[in-house]
Every structure is written in structure tokens, then in C-alpha cells.
Amino acid sequence: ARRNYEVISTYEAGISLLGSEVKAIREGKMTLRDGYVRPLNGGRSCTLFNVHIGKNPSSGEFFQHEERRPRPLLLNKDESMKLNKAVERQGVTVVPLKAYFNSKNVVKIQIGLCRGKNQQDKRNTIRDREAKKDTERMIKNFRAS
């Protein structure tokens, strides 16, 4: 997501999941690539759309989940309202950046309030990254000799 978007701010959100989804995430079967977050109910809640969580092979067919179902995010009401206002006024989007298990072994999603990059911004980012690599390489070679 950081390649196509400029991240303005980040939030940590819980996610409401089924048991088979948690098992599948532990096995690494979650894809955030096409996901997005949309504020619903006038900004009172946020929902994660288009995130793929693969099926868990150890569960029976009855206990399986739908792979791309909308999943409610667990955010404070104030945070949801902030995201809703930003999306409506500034024309930005909310994108999932990272999924992880916290210290209490609970699945968390890091979401970012993002503005889309145009082609020139992407080129500038690549140029800056290359310049940083070159300087680090030169410093490393200077220290070695």
C-alpha cells in the first residue's frame, strides 16, 4: 500500500473474526492487497472490505467462513468519526497496511489514512530510495578500506 499511497496517519484497530479465520491467519493465508476500509452508519463504525482470508483445511465444510466477507473493525467512536470526516472532506482513502498478533495474541490491523500517489511522486520515492542505498554503500565501502 505504501507504494501507491502516501500515508498521512495510522491507526490500530481490532477486527471481528470467526474461529476458522483466526486459524487461517495463523497459517499465513491473509491477503490485504486489494482491501479498503469504509466508514458506515454515519461514521459510527468502520468495515474492512475485499480482504481475502483463505479457508482453513483442518476445519470441516460447515465451519468454514466466506473468504471475502466484510469484516467489522473495532475502533473507538471518535476514531471512526475522524476517519469518516477525512474521507468525506479531503478525498482520502483508508487502507489496511499490516495485520499482526499483538502481545495478548489478538489479531490487530494497522490502517492508514492515505492519499493516492501520482506517477511523479512514485518516481521521486524511487529516486530517494536509490540515493539512500548509494550513500550507505559508499559509507560501507569507505569503512572497509
mmCIF file of all heavy atoms in Angstrom, residues 111-145:
data_model
loop_
_atom_site.group_PDB
_atom_site.id
_atom_site.type_symbol
_atom_site.label_atom_id
_atom_site.label_comp_id
_atom_site.label_asym_id
_atom_site.label_seq_id
_atom_site.Cartn_x
_atom_site.Cartn_y
_atom_site.Cartn_z
ATOM 1 N N ILE A 111 -4.322 0.385 10.099
ATOM 2 C CA ILE A 111 -4.928 1.037 8.948
ATOM 3 C C ILE A 111 -4.338 2.427 8.807
ATOM 4 O O ILE A 111 -3.907 3.037 9.789
ATOM 5 C CB ILE A 111 -6.467 1.101 9.063
ATOM 6 C CG1 ILE A 111 -6.911 1.831 10.325
ATOM 7 C CG2 ILE A 111 -7.062 -0.280 9.010
ATOM 8 C CD1 ILE A 111 -8.395 2.030 10.439
ATOM 9 N N GLY A 112 -4.288 2.902 7.588
ATOM 10 C CA GLY A 112 -3.702 4.206 7.331
ATOM 11 C C GLY A 112 -4.643 5.090 6.545
ATOM 12 O O GLY A 112 -5.320 4.632 5.626
ATOM 13 N N LEU A 113 -4.680 6.350 6.925
ATOM 14 C CA LEU A 113 -5.398 7.365 6.166
ATOM 15 C C LEU A 113 -4.447 7.795 5.058
ATOM 16 O O LEU A 113 -3.376 8.329 5.334
ATOM 17 C CB LEU A 113 -5.749 8.529 7.093
ATOM 18 C CG LEU A 113 -6.732 9.554 6.599
ATOM 19 C CD1 LEU A 113 -8.076 8.906 6.321
ATOM 20 C CD2 LEU A 113 -6.904 10.640 7.633
ATOM 21 N N CYS A 114 -4.793 7.528 3.801
ATOM 22 C CA CYS A 114 -3.843 7.649 2.703
ATOM 23 C C CYS A 114 -4.364 8.542 1.586
ATOM 24 O O CYS A 114 -5.554 8.612 1.341
ATOM 25 C CB CYS A 114 -3.557 6.277 2.107
ATOM 26 S SG CYS A 114 -2.884 5.101 3.274
ATOM 27 N N ARG A 115 -3.414 9.164 0.913
ATOM 28 C CA ARG A 115 -3.683 9.951 -0.285
ATOM 29 C C ARG A 115 -2.954 9.259 -1.429
ATOM 30 O O ARG A 115 -1.797 8.866 -1.290
ATOM 31 C CB ARG A 115 -3.148 11.372 -0.103
ATOM 32 C CG ARG A 115 -3.426 12.296 -1.270
ATOM 33 C CD ARG A 115 -2.916 13.699 -1.044
ATOM 34 N NE ARG A 115 -3.528 14.302 0.148
ATOM 35 C CZ ARG A 115 -2.842 14.724 1.212
ATOM 36 N NH1 ARG A 115 -1.533 14.613 1.248
ATOM 37 N NH2 ARG A 115 -3.460 15.254 2.235
ATOM 38 N N GLY A 116 -3.611 9.107 -2.559
ATOM 39 C CA GLY A 116 -3.023 8.412 -3.700
ATOM 40 C C GLY A 116 -1.824 9.149 -4.272
ATOM 41 O O GLY A 116 -1.817 10.375 -4.344
ATOM 42 N N LYS A 117 -0.798 8.401 -4.676
ATOM 43 C CA LYS A 117 0.378 8.991 -5.311
ATOM 44 C C LYS A 117 0.176 9.010 -6.818
ATOM 45 O O LYS A 117 -0.370 8.076 -7.391
ATOM 46 C CB LYS A 117 1.627 8.154 -5.021
ATOM 47 C CG LYS A 117 2.198 8.299 -3.653
ATOM 48 C CD LYS A 117 3.500 7.517 -3.595
ATOM 49 C CE LYS A 117 4.126 7.577 -2.227
ATOM 50 N NZ LYS A 117 5.367 6.790 -2.175
ATOM 51 N N ASN A 118 0.668 10.060 -7.450
ATOM 52 C CA ASN A 118 0.677 10.056 -8.911
ATOM 53 C C ASN A 118 2.020 9.505 -9.390
ATOM 54 O O ASN A 118 2.891 9.175 -8.585
ATOM 55 C CB ASN A 118 0.383 11.449 -9.487
ATOM 56 C CG ASN A 118 1.383 12.487 -9.021
ATOM 57 O OD1 ASN A 118 2.467 12.153 -8.560
ATOM 58 N ND2 ASN A 118 1.025 13.748 -9.143
ATOM 59 N N GLN A 119 2.200 9.401 -10.675
ATOM 60 C CA GLN A 119 3.403 8.772 -11.224
ATOM 61 C C GLN A 119 4.679 9.516 -10.818
ATOM 62 O O GLN A 119 5.687 8.901 -10.511
ATOM 63 C CB GLN A 119 3.291 8.713 -12.755
ATOM 64 C CG GLN A 119 4.335 7.852 -13.405
ATOM 65 C CD GLN A 119 4.207 6.383 -13.032
ATOM 66 O OE1 GLN A 119 3.118 5.895 -12.778
ATOM 67 N NE2 GLN A 119 5.313 5.685 -12.982
ATOM 68 N N GLN A 120 4.626 10.852 -10.793
ATOM 69 C CA GLN A 120 5.803 11.632 -10.426
ATOM 70 C C GLN A 120 6.209 11.385 -8.978
ATOM 71 O O GLN A 120 7.396 11.278 -8.656
ATOM 72 C CB GLN A 120 5.554 13.131 -10.657
ATOM 73 C CG GLN A 120 6.764 14.000 -10.439
ATOM 74 C CD GLN A 120 7.906 13.656 -11.398
ATOM 75 O OE1 GLN A 120 7.675 13.315 -12.551
ATOM 76 N NE2 GLN A 120 9.123 13.712 -10.920
ATOM 77 N N ASP A 121 5.219 11.286 -8.070
ATOM 78 C CA ASP A 121 5.524 11.007 -6.664
ATOM 79 C C ASP A 121 6.200 9.648 -6.520
ATOM 80 O O ASP A 121 7.118 9.481 -5.720
ATOM 81 C CB ASP A 121 4.255 11.048 -5.824
ATOM 82 C CG ASP A 121 3.681 12.446 -5.703
ATOM 83 O OD1 ASP A 121 4.443 13.408 -5.907
ATOM 84 O OD2 ASP A 121 2.482 12.562 -5.392
ATOM 85 N N LYS A 122 5.736 8.664 -7.301
ATOM 86 C CA LYS A 122 6.343 7.337 -7.235
ATOM 87 C C LYS A 122 7.793 7.389 -7.707
ATOM 88 O O LYS A 122 8.671 6.774 -7.107
ATOM 89 C CB LYS A 122 5.555 6.355 -8.103
ATOM 90 C CG LYS A 122 4.192 6.012 -7.547
ATOM 91 C CD LYS A 122 3.490 5.039 -8.454
ATOM 92 C CE LYS A 122 2.074 4.794 -8.007
ATOM 93 N NZ LYS A 122 1.361 3.864 -8.884
ATOM 94 N N ARG A 123 8.051 8.164 -8.765
ATOM 95 C CA ARG A 123 9.416 8.292 -9.271
ATOM 96 C C ARG A 123 10.319 8.966 -8.240
ATOM 97 O O ARG A 123 11.470 8.575 -8.065
ATOM 98 C CB ARG A 123 9.430 9.097 -10.569
ATOM 99 C CG ARG A 123 8.878 8.341 -11.736
ATOM 100 C CD ARG A 123 9.026 9.145 -13.011
ATOM 101 N NE ARG A 123 8.279 8.545 -14.076
ATOM 102 C CZ ARG A 123 7.404 9.169 -14.846
ATOM 103 N NH1 ARG A 123 7.168 10.449 -14.661
ATOM 104 N NH2 ARG A 123 6.762 8.535 -15.797
ATOM 105 N N ASN A 124 9.808 9.998 -7.582
ATOM 106 C CA ASN A 124 10.595 10.675 -6.545
ATOM 107 C C ASN A 124 10.926 9.736 -5.396
ATOM 108 O O ASN A 124 12.043 9.762 -4.869
ATOM 109 C CB ASN A 124 9.846 11.899 -6.024
ATOM 110 C CG ASN A 124 9.776 13.006 -7.052
ATOM 111 O OD1 ASN A 124 10.564 13.046 -7.990
ATOM 112 N ND2 ASN A 124 8.818 13.899 -6.879
ATOM 113 N N THR A 125 9.972 8.908 -4.996
ATOM 114 C CA THR A 125 10.212 7.951 -3.923
ATOM 115 C C THR A 125 11.303 6.964 -4.321
ATOM 116 O O THR A 125 12.207 6.671 -3.526
ATOM 117 C CB THR A 125 8.917 7.188 -3.592
ATOM 118 O OG1 THR A 125 7.896 8.121 -3.252
ATOM 119 C CG2 THR A 125 9.124 6.239 -2.434
ATOM 120 N N ILE A 126 11.244 6.458 -5.544
ATOM 121 C CA ILE A 126 12.255 5.511 -6.018
ATOM 122 C C ILE A 126 13.619 6.191 -6.087
ATOM 123 O O ILE A 126 14.629 5.618 -5.673
ATOM 124 C CB ILE A 126 11.848 4.940 -7.393
ATOM 125 C CG1 ILE A 126 10.621 4.054 -7.236
ATOM 126 C CG2 ILE A 126 12.997 4.168 -8.021
ATOM 127 C CD1 ILE A 126 9.986 3.643 -8.544
ATOM 128 N N ARG A 127 13.669 7.441 -6.570
ATOM 129 C CA ARG A 127 14.928 8.171 -6.668
ATOM 130 C C ARG A 127 15.540 8.380 -5.281
ATOM 131 O O ARG A 127 16.739 8.188 -5.082
ATOM 132 C CB ARG A 127 14.693 9.523 -7.341
ATOM 133 C CG ARG A 127 15.983 10.256 -7.659
ATOM 134 C CD ARG A 127 15.762 11.584 -8.355
ATOM 135 N NE ARG A 127 14.753 11.550 -9.397
ATOM 136 C CZ ARG A 127 13.642 12.320 -9.423
ATOM 137 N NH1 ARG A 127 13.433 13.173 -8.451
ATOM 138 N NH2 ARG A 127 12.784 12.233 -10.409
ATOM 139 N N ASP A 128 14.724 8.760 -4.302
ATOM 140 C CA ASP A 128 15.225 8.961 -2.934
ATOM 141 C C ASP A 128 15.744 7.662 -2.338
ATOM 142 O O ASP A 128 16.784 7.643 -1.668
ATOM 143 C CB ASP A 128 14.128 9.541 -2.048
ATOM 144 C CG ASP A 128 13.730 10.949 -2.453
ATOM 145 O OD1 ASP A 128 14.507 11.600 -3.183
ATOM 146 O OD2 ASP A 128 12.630 11.389 -2.040
ATOM 147 N N ARG A 129 15.027 6.558 -2.578
ATOM 148 C CA ARG A 129 15.447 5.264 -2.049
ATOM 149 C C ARG A 129 16.780 4.839 -2.661
ATOM 150 O O ARG A 129 17.672 4.352 -1.961
ATOM 151 C CB ARG A 129 14.369 4.221 -2.337
ATOM 152 C CG ARG A 129 14.637 2.891 -1.682
ATOM 153 C CD ARG A 129 13.547 1.861 -1.887
ATOM 154 N NE ARG A 129 12.282 2.366 -2.314
ATOM 155 C CZ ARG A 129 11.619 1.929 -3.402
ATOM 156 N NH1 ARG A 129 12.132 0.996 -4.165
ATOM 157 N NH2 ARG A 129 10.442 2.427 -3.717
ATOM 158 N N GLU A 130 16.929 5.035 -3.963
ATOM 159 C CA GLU A 130 18.183 4.687 -4.634
ATOM 160 C C GLU A 130 19.345 5.544 -4.130
ATOM 161 O O GLU A 130 20.453 5.053 -3.933
ATOM 162 C CB GLU A 130 18.042 4.843 -6.151
ATOM 163 C CG GLU A 130 17.121 3.831 -6.794
ATOM 164 C CD GLU A 130 17.618 2.411 -6.681
ATOM 165 O OE1 GLU A 130 18.846 2.206 -6.753
ATOM 166 O OE2 GLU A 130 16.780 1.516 -6.497
ATOM 167 N N ALA A 131 19.101 6.832 -3.919
ATOM 168 C CA ALA A 131 20.157 7.715 -3.411
ATOM 169 C C ALA A 131 20.585 7.284 -2.006
ATOM 170 O O ALA A 131 21.781 7.284 -1.684
ATOM 171 C CB ALA A 131 19.670 9.156 -3.390
ATOM 172 N N LYS A 132 19.620 6.894 -1.194
ATOM 173 C CA LYS A 132 19.947 6.441 0.162
ATOM 174 C C LYS A 132 20.771 5.155 0.128
ATOM 175 O O LYS A 132 21.754 5.018 0.865
ATOM 176 C CB LYS A 132 18.654 6.219 0.951
ATOM 177 C CG LYS A 132 18.880 5.872 2.389
ATOM 178 C CD LYS A 132 17.565 5.724 3.127
ATOM 179 C CE LYS A 132 17.788 5.302 4.556
ATOM 180 N NZ LYS A 132 16.538 5.055 5.269
ATOM 181 N N LYS A 133 20.405 4.228 -0.761
ATOM 182 C CA LYS A 133 21.180 2.995 -0.902
ATOM 183 C C LYS A 133 22.603 3.284 -1.352
ATOM 184 O O LYS A 133 23.550 2.669 -0.859
ATOM 185 C CB LYS A 133 20.507 2.060 -1.919
ATOM 186 C CG LYS A 133 19.328 1.316 -1.401
ATOM 187 C CD LYS A 133 18.794 0.389 -2.488
ATOM 188 C CE LYS A 133 17.543 -0.307 -2.067
ATOM 189 N NZ LYS A 133 17.000 -1.168 -3.134
ATOM 190 N N ASP A 134 22.767 4.206 -2.324
ATOM 191 C CA ASP A 134 24.096 4.547 -2.823
ATOM 192 C C ASP A 134 24.977 5.142 -1.729
ATOM 193 O O ASP A 134 26.152 4.787 -1.608
ATOM 194 C CB ASP A 134 23.995 5.526 -3.996
ATOM 195 C CG ASP A 134 23.444 4.863 -5.248
ATOM 196 O OD1 ASP A 134 23.472 3.615 -5.312
ATOM 197 O OD2 ASP A 134 22.983 5.598 -6.140
ATOM 198 N N THR A 135 24.427 6.047 -0.934
ATOM 199 C CA THR A 135 25.227 6.654 0.143
ATOM 200 C C THR A 135 25.610 5.610 1.189
ATOM 201 O O THR A 135 26.746 5.607 1.659
ATOM 202 C CB THR A 135 24.478 7.812 0.808
ATOM 203 O OG1 THR A 135 23.217 7.344 1.290
ATOM 204 C CG2 THR A 135 24.271 8.961 -0.139
ATOM 205 N N GLU A 136 24.688 4.725 1.536
ATOM 206 C CA GLU A 136 25.020 3.668 2.500
ATOM 207 C C GLU A 136 26.097 2.741 1.938
ATOM 208 O O GLU A 136 26.988 2.311 2.668
ATOM 209 C CB GLU A 136 23.764 2.883 2.862
ATOM 210 C CG GLU A 136 22.803 3.648 3.746
ATOM 211 C CD GLU A 136 21.535 2.875 4.018
ATOM 212 O OE1 GLU A 136 21.365 1.756 3.502
ATOM 213 O OE2 GLU A 136 20.698 3.417 4.767
ATOM 214 N N ARG A 137 26.006 2.432 0.650
ATOM 215 C CA ARG A 137 27.016 1.581 0.015
ATOM 216 C C ARG A 137 28.382 2.245 0.017
ATOM 217 O O ARG A 137 29.399 1.610 0.290
ATOM 218 C CB ARG A 137 26.569 1.269 -1.420
ATOM 219 C CG ARG A 137 27.344 0.155 -2.078
ATOM 220 C CD ARG A 137 26.821 -0.203 -3.468
ATOM 221 N NE ARG A 137 25.413 -0.529 -3.454
ATOM 222 C CZ ARG A 137 24.464 0.097 -4.182
ATOM 223 N NH1 ARG A 137 24.799 1.098 -4.966
ATOM 224 N NH2 ARG A 137 23.217 -0.281 -4.133
ATOM 225 N N MET A 138 28.415 3.561 -0.271
ATOM 226 C CA MET A 138 29.679 4.283 -0.273
ATOM 227 C C MET A 138 30.288 4.329 1.127
ATOM 228 O O MET A 138 31.501 4.165 1.286
ATOM 229 C CB MET A 138 29.468 5.706 -0.824
ATOM 230 C CG MET A 138 29.174 5.738 -2.312
ATOM 231 S SD MET A 138 28.703 7.347 -2.912
ATOM 232 C CE MET A 138 30.248 8.205 -2.739
ATOM 233 N N ILE A 139 29.472 4.565 2.134
ATOM 234 C CA ILE A 139 29.965 4.598 3.515
ATOM 235 C C ILE A 139 30.505 3.243 3.914
ATOM 236 O O ILE A 139 31.562 3.133 4.534
ATOM 237 C CB ILE A 139 28.844 5.057 4.473
ATOM 238 C CG1 ILE A 139 28.526 6.536 4.226
ATOM 239 C CG2 ILE A 139 29.227 4.835 5.912
ATOM 240 C CD1 ILE A 139 27.299 7.044 4.962
ATOM 241 N N LYS A 140 29.802 2.169 3.529
ATOM 242 C CA LYS A 140 30.253 0.820 3.857
ATOM 243 C C LYS A 140 31.591 0.514 3.187
ATOM 244 O O LYS A 140 32.505 -0.020 3.811
ATOM 245 C CB LYS A 140 29.194 -0.199 3.399
ATOM 246 C CG LYS A 140 29.539 -1.625 3.710
ATOM 247 C CD LYS A 140 28.461 -2.548 3.217
ATOM 248 C CE LYS A 140 28.861 -3.986 3.382
ATOM 249 N NZ LYS A 140 27.912 -4.903 2.778
ATOM 250 N N ASN A 141 31.742 0.892 1.923
ATOM 251 C CA ASN A 141 32.992 0.646 1.205
ATOM 252 C C ASN A 141 34.141 1.509 1.769
ATOM 253 O O ASN A 141 35.277 1.077 1.802
ATOM 254 C CB ASN A 141 32.816 0.935 -0.290
ATOM 255 C CG ASN A 141 31.948 -0.097 -0.954
ATOM 256 O OD1 ASN A 141 31.802 -1.214 -0.461
ATOM 257 N ND2 ASN A 141 31.340 0.266 -2.067
ATOM 258 N N PHE A 142 33.837 2.703 2.199
ATOM 259 C CA PHE A 142 34.851 3.588 2.772
ATOM 260 C C PHE A 142 35.367 3.011 4.079
ATOM 261 O O PHE A 142 36.570 3.051 4.354
ATOM 262 C CB PHE A 142 34.261 4.989 2.996
ATOM 263 C CG PHE A 142 35.244 5.954 3.575
ATOM 264 C CD1 PHE A 142 36.282 6.473 2.814
ATOM 265 C CD2 PHE A 142 35.146 6.346 4.916
ATOM 266 C CE1 PHE A 142 37.193 7.350 3.352
ATOM 267 C CE2 PHE A 142 36.048 7.223 5.460
ATOM 268 C CZ PHE A 142 37.077 7.740 4.676
ATOM 269 N N ARG A 143 34.461 2.471 4.904
ATOM 270 C CA ARG A 143 34.872 1.886 6.197
ATOM 271 C C ARG A 143 35.684 0.617 5.991
ATOM 272 O O ARG A 143 36.569 0.309 6.760
ATOM 273 C CB ARG A 143 33.634 1.553 7.037
ATOM 274 C CG ARG A 143 32.972 2.778 7.585
ATOM 275 C CD ARG A 143 31.804 2.409 8.441
ATOM 276 N NE ARG A 143 31.074 3.587 8.875
ATOM 277 C CZ ARG A 143 29.858 3.590 9.338
ATOM 278 N NH1 ARG A 143 29.190 2.460 9.443
ATOM 279 N NH2 ARG A 143 29.292 4.702 9.716
ATOM 280 N N ALA A 144 35.355 -0.153 4.947
ATOM 281 C CA ALA A 144 36.051 -1.421 4.691
ATOM 282 C C ALA A 144 37.490 -1.182 4.221
ATOM 283 O O ALA A 144 38.373 -1.995 4.471
ATOM 284 C CB ALA A 144 35.295 -2.243 3.665
ATOM 285 N N SER A 145 37.743 -0.081 3.549
ATOM 286 C CA SER A 145 39.100 0.144 3.032
ATOM 287 C C SER A 145 39.950 0.967 3.964
ATOM 288 O O SER A 145 39.828 1.128 5.072
ATOM 289 C CB SER A 145 39.043 0.862 1.695
ATOM 290 O OG SER A 145 38.269 2.039 1.770
#
